[in-house]
DNA sequence: AATGGGACCTGCGCGC
DNA sequence: TGCGCGCAGGTCCCAT
């Protein structure tokens, strides 16, 4: 759902067309998305402040505020950000600029969250987060996975090992590398791990270029869908033909998560 | 360390 | 056509 490429897309678009934004008004349409701080405190902490810049860490969107502090957004499964002057049916929090511009945090299932912090260290997810997959060296990548006895797919999605990989890109990168999702990480050869890193990098980079994958609710900030969906090889393609070997893509559960793969191509 | 649950949530597609 | 059910997946939390 919103994983690294989707969140990166959103951050880049906000960076171009939404900031700096002086916050004139804050509308909290659903207080359930606000975590770790009282509603009034959030409103007080935002009103009159300026969003100076937008950054991403893992799957988190980080608004840097004037006068020290950050607004940290997590889209979780079903969230998206839209810049529009018409309030979306699923909008949970709206930031209004003085000139009528608006940033809406939308979330159909209300599992996403918004936090106001003084330092990023206050966010436990960030504190524990592993390196960025597009920055990690081959050696570091090897070190992360080679001594682990767990299954490679859940490990790829573990944010404390690598930040930003979710169910879509874990499945796609394993297909690309020809690795079965249930392989123990410590059974992978150096060559396989090198290939997995290369696949992960190229898929993430390509997905960012395409504006991410719209599987369900995710949108770019102008409301349009991401276009990487047409490039998917296994995710949501069970019972369809493999693009490489013409065999059937199957779906199983790995670590409790739906997992599509090609039994012919992935060993 | 790893695994397997449940909890949080709503919208969608399925079977009857 | 309508209704109930299971599933979708990111993270935290608990038990084993």
């Amino acid at each position: 759902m919103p994983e690294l490429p989707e969140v990166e897309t959103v951050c880049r678009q906000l960076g171009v067309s939404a900031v700096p934004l002086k916050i004139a008004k804050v509308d909290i349409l659903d207080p359930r998305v606000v975590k770790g701080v009282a509603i009034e405190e959030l409103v007080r902490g935002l009103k009159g402040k300026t969003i100076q810049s937008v950054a991403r860490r893992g799957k988190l969107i980080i608004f840097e505020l004037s006068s020290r502090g950050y607004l940290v957004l997590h889209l979780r499964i079903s969230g998206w950000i839209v810049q529009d002057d018409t309030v979306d049916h699923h909008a949970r929090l709206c930031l209004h600029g003085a000139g009528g511009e608006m940033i809406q945090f939308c979330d159909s299932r209300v599992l996403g969250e918004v936090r106001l912090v003084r330092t990023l260290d206050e966010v436990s997810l960030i504190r524990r987060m592993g390196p960025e997959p597009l920055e990690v060296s081959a050696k570091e990548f090897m070190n992360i996975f080679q001594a682990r006895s767990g299954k490679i797919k859940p490990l790829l999605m573990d944010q404390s090992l690598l930040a930003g990989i979710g169910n879509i890109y874990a499945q796609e990168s394993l297909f690309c590398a020809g690795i079965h999702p249930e392989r123990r990480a410590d059974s992978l050869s150096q060559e396989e791990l090198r290939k997995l890193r290369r696949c992960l990098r190229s898929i993430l980079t390509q997905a960012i270029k395409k504006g991410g994958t719209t599987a369900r609710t995710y949108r770019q900030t102008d409301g349009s869908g991401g276009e990487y969906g047409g490039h998917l090889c296994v995710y949501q393609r069970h019972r369809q033909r493999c693009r490489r070997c013409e065999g059937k893509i199957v779906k199983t559960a790995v670590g409790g998560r739906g997992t599509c793969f090609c039994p012919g191509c992935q060993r």
Side-chain angles (χ1 to χ4, degrees):
Chain A
M1 309 255 114
E3 304 177 27
L4 189 153
E6 291 73 31
V7 178
E8 179 65 24
T9 298
V10 166
C11 289
R12 287 185 188 183
Q13 292 173 349
L14 290 173
V16 168
S17 59
V19 301
L21 178 84
K22 187 170 161 85
I23 301 168
K25 185 162 152 252
V26 181
D27 276 339
I28 295 159
L29 304 170
D30 193 326
R32 287 177 296 176
V33 300
V34 178
K35 308 285 183 188
V37 59
I39 305 297
E40 307 73 42
E41 204 181 326
L42 178 77
V43 174
R44 214 174 327 118
L46 290 177
K47 221 171 154 187
K49 299 279 173 61
T50 298
I51 300 174
Q52 310 271 31
S53 61
V54 186
R56 178 190 63 75
R57 177 77 172 101
K59 299 172 191 170
L60 294 170
I61 301 167
I62 301 168
F63 289 143
E64 190 190 353
L65 302 171
S66 55
S67 69
R68 306 190 307 284
Y70 303 88
L71 183 68
V72 181
L73 308 184
H74 198 322
L75 301 176
R76 291 283 190 107
I77 293 166
S78 58
W80 70 100
I81 304 281
V82 65
Q83 297 181 76
D84 193 15
D85 48 16
T86 307
V87 177
D88 189 278
H89 173 236
H90 290 290
R92 310 294 173 185
L93 180 139
C94 295
L95 302 174
H96 299 260
E101 38 327 359
M102 204 195 303
I103 298 175
Q104 301 178 39
F105 175 89
C106 304
D107 185 0
S108 66
R109 290 169 61 181
V110 210
L111 293 170
E113 52 187 67
V114 175
R115 292 173 187 274
L116 181 65
V117 294
R118 299 293 281 184
T119 69
L120 294 178
D121 242 22
E122 291 173 40
V123 183
S124 67
L125 183 59
I126 294 182
R127 231 182 303 128
R128 292 178 287 111
M129 215 172 250
E132 288 288 328
L134 292 175
E135 292 170 11
V136 78
S137 70
K139 188 159 180 281
E140 285 175 285
F141 191 88
M142 220 80 87
N143 285 339
I144 290 171
F145 294 105
Q146 66 185 355
R148 303 201 177 253
S149 62
K151 294 172 180 171
I152 185 63
K153 194 220 169 197
L155 291 174
L156 272 178
M157 296 166 58
D158 184 334
Q159 303 300 296
S160 70
L161 301 182
L162 277 184
I165 313 300
N167 210 17
I168 298 174
Y169 299 104
Q171 290 173 52
E172 292 299 312
S173 58
L174 287 169
F175 171 79
C176 168
I179 297 169
H180 192 289
E182 297 193 271
R183 281 278 297 282
R184 277 172 59 136
D186 60 9
S187 79
L188 299 172
S189 67
Q190 295 219 337
E191 199 41 59
E192 285 177 309
L193 282 173
R194 261 195 289 273
K195 185 167 189 189
L196 179 56
R197 174 174 169 273
R198 278 202 309 273
C199 283
L200 190 54
R201 290 177 68 90
S202 67
I203 286 170
L204 293 175
T205 305
Q206 197 57 30
I208 291 169
K209 273 194 191 139
K210 295 289 177 185
T213 302
T214 294
R216 278 200 168 75
T217 52
Y218 163 75
R219 305 268 132 199
Q220 302 189 61
T221 66
D222 65 359
S224 65
E227 288 171 359
Y228 191 73
H231 299 263
L232 295 173
C233 291
V234 284
Y235 181 75
Q236 286 189 336
R237 292 199 69 244
H238 49 294
R239 295 192 293 268
Q240 298 180 40
R241 294 262 164 229
C242 173
R243 299 187 196 283
R244 192 182 292 161
C245 78
E246 296 283 301
K248 276 240 174 91
I249 305 296
V250 301
K251 181 168 185 178
T252 57
V254 178
R257 287 282 115 78
T259 304
C260 301
F261 67 100
C262 172
C265 296
Q266 295 176 256
R267 303 287 172 160

